[in-house]
Amino acid sequence: MRTLVLSLALSIIAFFNSAQAKPAYSTEQKAFLEAERAFKQGKLSEYQKLKKDLAHYSLLPYLEYEEIRKNLNKNSKQQVDSFIEKYQSSPLSSRLRWDFIRELAKAKDYTLMEQYYSFGSIASFDCQILDHQLKQGKPISALSEQIANLWNVSKSQPKECDDIFEKWIDNNQLQQDVAYQRFYQTAHEGPIGLLNYLKRYLPRDEQYLADLWLKVRRNPKVVTRSNFFPGKNPNKEAPILVYAVKRLAWGDREDAYNAWKRTQSRVPLAGEHKSDVERTLFLALATENNPKAVDMAKNNLNEFLGDALVSHWKLVTFLRTEDWQTITELYELLPFDQQSSEQWRYWYAVALDELGQKEEARILLTELAKERGYYGYKAATRTGQPIQLNHAPVIISEEVMNSVRQSANVERAGELYAIERYLDASREWRSLLSSLESPEEFQAAAVIANEWGWYNQSILTIARAQVWDDTNIRFPTAFKDDYIKMAKQVQLPPHWLMGVARQESAYGPRAVSPAGAYGLMQVMPNTARAFARKFQIPYSHSSDLLDPAINIQMGSRYLQMRFEELEQNPVYASAAYNAGKSRIEQWKKYGRYPTEVWIEAIPYTETRDYIKRVMTYRQVYALKLGLDDDIFEYILTTETGDKK
């Protein structure tokens, strides 16, 4: 484990829980909120009086920003420049710049707009500026490269670009290679309708390619027809075959494999084309435990060695067949970065042990057992060594601590967090992180966020410093009383519930995912509504899920439900928390194996990594709570999956 510098006392924070009363707002916080309210209501005399009393308050720029924004127009240059200069460390500076850019675009003042706008940020603005430059007399040839970059994308661009594209094409600026590049990109990932439009820019004798692509996009199986490829331009027909087989591979694996065997001889393929398809076919076959994956792995042992995903699935294929000798051979071929990973160190040692090289295996596993992590904990369990927490508190100099604490970004973020303006607080925090330079400064910022109870931000921040061993910061135990109470109700270990929360939200009570999951245990509102009725949990709105007590009840009940539905198997239940029950039922059908092998063979990389982290975090929280846990014993001594 890494040696760290920095010691803290976080015991008070460790006992925070949702039963605490919410702290009252300070005098300045109340005055700020009242000033905001007065401004919105148009009570300007009251607002000015309140604002005067906040002249030295850290959130004053938020009031000034709203003042400028309300009356923003193309003549606001002086106010905008002054604000940007004065508050350049705040994200408000960038926000006002963009507000002003949008106003200038609306006013069609492109000359002034160019002073604030960075070309390449927004396609519609790029096109408006280029059109303005054309109207000012700039020759289209001078702008051709910029226009080509805007045109050459696998999607339709905004209507503001139509005129300049038309002028550019009419002036013979569209090069044939650019036309084919866009067509090729769109054929692979763009909308089908755009392909019809782009067909006209291909040479007449190549326009048939668009028709082939359209057919394959609608139904990739058409490539298996004996007369599908006319052979007019094999080099450009080959990508169509590659695309089709790769698409088929993630559907019916057998069908894809057979289609590849039947069709590859019809179209001359470059080496990279053949490798591309065979890589995809192998991954697709291996994830469903198709026997053909075994031969592909053994026949291509020396190929794709730098591809960690392919190496992983070769490993899984050989684990399923207990081919320990080939695992050691593959390990010896791998590049150093893969060999030195905890995963490969562990499985190489296990393979040696299975091959009778017991002492060498014991030495490797004993060394790995010192690590805090999934494979370290498995190694410790295999060798009968104690599982290690490896806590090393960080130590920060008072000078650095004070410097970061007194940063304007920290002051603003702290006040915004206190008044529950979490989005603005996060923006200020990102601005802070972009200004920090030394690992010690990142550590200081992590300590500050932890003191506030902003645990997910603290965890993410200390990771930026690559500090892994301060387990007080990385694995907070806030809300533990709620977890212990709920664990008794659902009859699951409290450290398992805490491990799920640590993985789901980085222990962030107010985290909201892009998918709309809320809070510590990332509960979906639909789940919350159903569970509220079933278990009489108070709930009326998705924002209730930001209350740790409610969220912990919901998430714990959901995990309990999956545990009961899925044979009381903690691996199934944890995987279902991430991927859903139906996928677990599907994956079970791929065969019954030792549980640790079944985990390695989870088809989704996200869920596979999720399980390993949850199991690790579960063990970490057991150590922190002073509880025994046998999850790694379970992983090493049981079998999982259905018999074929």
Side-chain angles (χ1 to χ4, degrees):
M1 282 292 172
R2 300 168 180 79
T3 306
L4 304 177
V5 262
L6 205 74
S7 179
L8 306 173
L10 299 172
S11 55
I12 295 176
I13 293 170
F15 288 95
F16 277 6
N17 61 55
S18 60
Q20 282 186 303
K22 181 179 173 179
Y25 290 148
S26 69
T27 302
E28 285 183 316
Q29 288 164 357
K30 288 178 182 176
F32 172 78
L33 294 171
E34 288 172 9
E36 271 193 332
R37 217 163 14 245
F39 184 75
K40 287 177 183 176
Q41 294 172 357
K43 300 176 181 177
L44 298 185
S45 59
E46 180 185 344
Y47 166 72
Q48 291 297 341
K49 182 181 177 182
L50 288 164
K51 180 186 171 186
K52 186 177 180 182
D53 294 337
L54 294 167
H56 301 292
Y57 183 47
S58 60
L59 296 188
L60 178 65
Y62 283 80
L63 297 177
E64 294 183 354
Y65 168 79
E66 290 299 334
E67 283 185 54
I68 298 171
R69 192 176 69 86
K70 183 178 180 181
N71 300 300
L72 194 64
N73 57 61
K74 68 175 186 176
N75 299 315
S76 301
K77 180 178 178 4
Q78 185 174 346
Q79 286 178 293
V80 170
D81 288 347
S82 176
F83 185 93
I84 290 173
E85 175 64 27
K86 186 177 180 182
Y87 299 118
Q88 55 187 291
S89 70
S90 172
L92 288 175
S93 172
S94 177
R95 283 170 64 186
L96 185 59
R97 181 190 299 276
W98 275 106
D99 290 336
F100 192 41
I101 288 167
R102 282 187 283 271
E103 283 296 320
L104 294 172
K106 193 187 302 181
K108 299 185 178 180
D109 190 342
Y110 300 115
T111 301
L112 183 56
M113 180 180 169
E114 287 184 84
Q115 296 178 28
Y116 295 85
Y117 176 71
S118 296
F119 193 88
S121 302
I122 297 176
S124 61
F125 286 175
D126 291 344
C127 289
Q128 289 175 66
I129 286 173
L130 290 171
D131 189 51
H132 170 70
Q133 292 177 354
L134 286 173
K135 288 173 180 174
Q136 295 299 305
K138 199 163 188 178
I140 199 162
S141 58
L143 303 175
S144 185
E145 184 177 349
Q146 291 170 299
I147 297 172
N149 290 336
L150 282 164
W151 187 84
N152 190 11
V153 293
S154 59
K155 61 180 181 180
S156 296
Q157 290 287 40
K159 59 181 176 57
E160 289 86 355
C161 297
D162 291 349
D163 284 348
I164 62 163
F165 287 164
E166 187 177 342
K167 292 172 186 174
W168 177 68
I169 292 168
D170 288 346
N171 279 271
N172 299 315
Q173 296 295 310
L174 173 57
Q175 301 297 314
Q176 191 58 59
D177 62 330
V178 173
Y180 188 75
Q181 283 171 22
R182 187 182 189 191
F183 174 81
Y184 186 77
Q185 287 182 73
T186 305
H188 279 78
E189 60 192 45
I192 288 179
L194 186 56
L195 275 181
N196 274 322
Y197 163 77
L198 295 174
K199 176 180 177 179
R200 72 192 71 177
Y201 299 114
L202 295 179
R204 187 172 297 277
D205 62 347
E206 291 186 7
Q207 290 185 1
Y208 79 97
L209 293 167
D211 298 325
L212 296 182
W213 273 108
L214 286 166
K215 290 174 183 176
V216 165
R217 287 287 301 271
R218 294 187 180 106
N219 177 16
K221 283 189 178 182
V222 295
V223 297
T224 61
R225 296 174 186 167
S226 59
N227 61 347
F228 181 75
F229 291 105
K232 295 178 184 177
N233 193 330
N235 289 335
K236 291 184 178 178
E237 291 174 18
I240 302 174
L241 174 61
V242 171
Y243 171 86
V245 177
K246 288 174 68 176
R247 271 271 307 274
L248 289 170
W250 295 110
D252 186 324
R253 270 71 164 168
E254 279 289 334
D255 204 24
Y257 183 85
N258 293 332
W260 175 239
K261 292 300 181 185
R262 289 197 306 270
T263 59
Q264 60 177 301
S265 60
R266 297 182 199 157
V267 180
L269 292 167
E272 63 269 20
H273 284 146
K274 190 170 184 291
S275 294
D276 191 16
V277 175
E278 294 192 341
R279 175 187 182 275
T280 301
L281 274 174
F282 168 68
L283 292 174
L285 292 166
T287 54
E288 282 198 350
N289 197 16
N290 188 300
K292 291 182 174 66
V294 179
D295 290 336
M296 291 186 77
K298 295 206 77 161
N299 294 338
N300 297 286
L301 195 66
N302 293 297
E303 295 185 27
F304 308 110
L305 294 174
D307 189 323
L309 184 61
V310 173
S311 297
H312 170 83
W313 283 103
K314 286 180 182 177
L315 170 64
V316 171
T317 300
F318 301 139
L319 287 173
R320 283 167 165 163
T321 55
E322 298 184 354
D323 189 346
W324 306 109
Q325 182 60 45
T326 305
I327 288 174
T328 62
E329 292 172 11
L330 176 58
Y331 175 84
E332 298 293 347
L333 294 170
L334 292 174
F336 177 75
D337 63 325
Q338 291 185 53
Q339 283 187 347
S340 58
S341 71
E342 292 182 8
Q343 179 192 36
W344 273 103
R345 287 161 58 198
Y346 175 81
W347 284 114
Y348 179 62
V350 171
L352 291 177
D353 185 66
E354 293 287 345
L355 292 169
Q357 300 178 49
K358 304 288 186 182
E359 183 58 23
E360 186 177 353
R362 186 190 64 78
I363 292 170
L364 293 172
L365 289 170
T366 300
E367 183 64 26
L368 183 57
K370 298 174 184 177
E371 302 288 345
R372 181 188 60 250
Y374 177 73
Y375 293 101
Y377 286 172
K378 286 206 299 177
T381 304
R382 270 187 177 270
T383 55
Q385 297 177 77
I387 286 177
Q388 302 289 337
L389 184 59
N390 295 333
H391 173 63
V394 291
I395 303 172
I396 307 167
S397 69
E398 186 176 351
E399 180 184 4
V400 170
M401 197 75 226
N402 289 337
S403 172
V404 175
R405 199 182 294 280
Q406 291 164 14
S407 155
N409 289 116
V410 168
E411 290 182 359
R412 288 190 293 262
E415 290 298 297
L416 290 163
Y417 187 80
I419 62 173
E420 301 177 281
R421 301 287 176 81
Y422 304 121
L423 179 58
D424 283 328
S426 295
R427 288 168 173 161
E428 289 285 356
W429 199 261
R430 284 197 295 271
S431 292
L432 167 73
L433 297 184
S434 69
S435 70
L436 300 181
E437 296 178 356
S438 71
E440 196 176 5
E441 288 176 323
F442 281 98
Q443 293 167 33
V447 170
I448 292 165
N450 192 289
E451 290 172 349
W452 296 345
W454 201 1
Y455 303 115
N456 54 332
Q457 196 63 262
S458 176
I459 289 166
L460 295 171
T461 301
I462 205 164
R464 291 280 293 271
Q466 296 192 324
V467 170
W468 312 113
D469 293 338
D470 190 319
T471 58
N472 286 341
I473 292 178
R474 293 196 63 228
F475 300 98
T477 55
F479 321 114
K480 72 173 184 179
D481 292 343
D482 291 298
Y483 282 113
I484 292 170
K485 176 183 175 182
M486 200 61 212
K488 291 176 182 175
Q489 292 185 36
V490 298
Q491 296 185 315
L492 298 177
H495 42 282
W496 187 12
L497 304 179
M498 295 171 80
V500 169
R502 174 60 176 78
Q503 171 58 27
E504 284 287 336
S505 68
Y507 227 80
R510 298 169 187 87
V512 181
S513 78
Y518 284 74
L520 279 164
M521 300 186 76
Q522 291 291 276
V523 179
M524 296 295 288
N526 286 343
T527 301
R529 280 191 289 273
F531 281 21
R533 290 191 296 271
K534 186 174 182 179
F535 299 107
Q536 289 77 54
I537 302 171
Y539 176 80
S540 59
H541 189 270
S542 56
S543 60
D544 293 336
L545 293 172
L546 302 180
D547 179 335
I550 292 174
N551 192 282
I552 290 168
Q553 289 184 71
M554 298 288 192
S556 300
R557 290 291 183 187
Y558 184 80
L559 186 63
Q560 177 197 34
M561 178 182 74
R562 293 306 184 207
F563 184 63
E564 296 298 332
E565 288 175 339
L566 293 163
E567 306 170 26
Q568 295 192 336
N569 181 317
V571 173
Y572 287 160
S574 297
Y577 201 101
N578 173 257
K581 179 189 173 188
S582 62
R583 289 196 179 98
I584 309 312
E585 297 288 5
Q586 178 186 349
W587 298 342
K588 286 165 62 177
K589 296 173 185 175
Y590 297 157
R592 188 167 185 82
Y593 296 96
T595 297
E596 64 172 339
V597 174
W598 193 91
I599 290 171
E600 296 288 7
I602 290 173
Y604 287 8
T605 301
E606 177 190 327
T607 305
R608 188 166 64 248
D609 292 343
Y610 178 96
I611 284 290
K612 294 175 185 178
R613 292 191 189 106
V614 167
M615 298 297 102
T616 303
Y617 298 162
R618 169 177 168 157
Q619 182 64 70
V620 166
Y621 276 110
L623 293 171
K624 288 177 74 70
L625 296 179
L627 300 173
D628 292 329
D629 191 48
D630 62 355
I631 190 59
F632 281 93
E633 191 71 33
Y634 177 91
I635 289 170
L636 292 181
T637 58
T638 61
E639 290 187 343
T640 297
D642 294 340
K643 290 183 179 178
K644 281 196 164 187

